[in-house]
Amino acid sequence: MRWVINLIRRIWQIVTTPAVTLSIGFLTLGGFIGGVIFWGAFNTALEVTNTEKFCTSCHEMRNNVYEELSHTIHFSNRSGVRASCPDCHVPHEWSDKIARKMQASKEVWGKIFGTIDTRQKFLEKRLELAQHEWVRLKSNDSLECRNCHTAAAMDFSRQAPRAAEMHSTYLLTGQATCIDCHKGIAHELPDMTGQDPGWLQPENVPAEALDEGDTAQLRDYLDDETRRTAAN
C-alpha cells in the first residue's frame, strides 16, 4: 500500500514541478496548438448561436416574431433570397458581431425569468422591445440592413418613383437611414397609440415620399387612428 502512495506522490511531483528541459520551441508550438483549438471552439460556438435554428429554438421567438416573418417578402419572394434572423439582427463584421452578442446576452436573463413567455406578455412588452431595436438600428446607421442592401448597388431606375426619390434624396445624403422609413417591414408593428407622430416618418421627409409598398402597415395604422379620432 505504501508503494501506491509513493507512486502517487511521485506523479504529483512530476506534474507540479516546472519543466526545465522543454525547449522554447516546444512550449511555443504547444501554445500555438492550444490557441488554435480554443479559437476554433470559440468561433464554432459563436456561429451556432448565429443561426436561425438557434434563434427560433425558444417558443417566444418561434411563435411570435418568426411566425410574422414567415409571411413577409424577406422570407418568401420571387428571387428566392431569404433573410434569416441573424441577417437582420447581427452585423457581419467580427467586432460589431461580438459587441452585438454581448448586448444580446441579457436576453438569457429574460428567458430565465419568463419576461415574454406567453403571448399576452409579449404583446404587452412589444412596444418597448421594438423601440429598443429601432434606436439601436438608428444609432448604427442600420448596419444590419446593409448586410444585404447597399445604396451604391441600388438601381434607382428600377425602383418605384417615390422609392427612388426617397433613397436618392435622403439615404444617399445621410439625412435618413433605413429604419427611419422601414419600421414594420419584417414584423408587425406594436400598438403605437399615444406615440409621437414622428415615428411615422423621419424628420424633414414628406409623407408623399414614402413608398406605398414598404409602408402599407404605417398607412393602415394612420387610417385606423383617423377613424378612431373621428369616432370620438
Side-chain angles (χ1 to χ4, degrees):
M1 190 65 180
R2 181 179 294 276
W3 69 270
V4 175
I5 297 176
N6 290 335
L7 178 61
I8 294 174
R9 286 176 177 174
R10 180 59 180 164
I11 293 174
W12 177 252
Q13 184 179 18
I14 292 174
V15 171
T16 57
T17 301
V20 295
T21 58
L22 296 179
S23 66
I24 295 298
F26 180 84
L27 294 175
T28 301
L29 179 62
F32 175 78
I33 294 174
V36 169
I37 294 174
F38 170 80
W39 190 251
F42 175 80
N43 276 284
T44 298
L46 183 66
E47 290 309 311
V48 168
T49 66
N50 204 39
T51 62
E52 192 168 86
K53 182 178 180 180
F54 177 84
C55 294
T56 58
S57 60
C58 61
H59 74 89
E60 290 91 339
M61 295 295 102
R62 185 175 60 254
N63 298 339
N64 291 305
V65 289
Y66 183 73
E67 174 63 23
E68 296 170 0
L69 173 66
S70 66
H71 301 294
T72 69
I73 195 171
H74 279 94
F75 190 87
S76 180
N77 52 68
R78 65 183 180 276
S79 64
V81 177
R82 175 174 295 176
S84 65
C85 304
D87 287 327
C88 297
H89 294 282
V90 181
H92 285 188
E93 294 297 327
W94 196 86
S95 57
D96 294 318
K97 181 188 296 186
I98 292 299
R100 177 72 182 114
K101 290 293 183 180
M102 293 176 63
Q103 182 186 47
S105 63
K106 64 182 180 182
E107 294 170 9
V108 177
W109 179 274
K111 173 64 177 177
I112 293 173
F113 290 93
T115 304
I116 55 172
D117 59 357
T118 68
R119 177 65 177 174
Q120 185 58 38
K121 287 183 180 179
F122 170 75
L123 292 177
E124 292 173 353
K125 200 80 171 176
R126 179 168 204 143
L127 177 59
E128 179 184 344
L129 296 172
Q131 287 175 329
H132 285 320
E133 194 67 358
W134 294 338
V135 169
R136 187 181 67 80
L137 286 167
K138 176 70 173 178
S139 65
N140 70 9
D141 195 20
S142 303
L143 185 60
E144 285 84 338
C145 300
R146 299 174 193 276
N147 286 342
C148 299
H149 304 279
T150 61
M154 289 182 179
D155 184 352
F156 295 147
S157 66
R158 302 180 66 179
Q159 295 181 358
R162 280 183 297 182
E165 179 185 357
M166 182 74 164
H167 291 145
S168 60
T169 304
Y170 299 99
L171 184 63
L172 292 183
T173 60
Q175 296 182 57
T177 188
C178 308
I179 197 59
D180 286 321
C181 301
H182 294 284
K183 298 180 179 72
I185 193 172
H187 303 294
E188 294 177 8
L189 286 166
D191 181 5
M192 301 299 289
T193 303
Q195 297 302 305
D196 189 319
W199 73 272
L200 289 169
Q201 61 196 64
E203 187 177 358
N204 298 325
V205 177
E208 57 270 17
L210 299 178
D211 182 74
E212 189 73 33
D214 289 338
T215 59
Q217 293 184 49
L218 304 186
R219 294 180 182 280
D220 288 345
Y221 182 86
L222 185 57
D223 290 342
D224 290 341
E225 279 292 279
T226 301
R227 283 193 291 269
R228 281 194 290 269
T229 302
N232 293 331

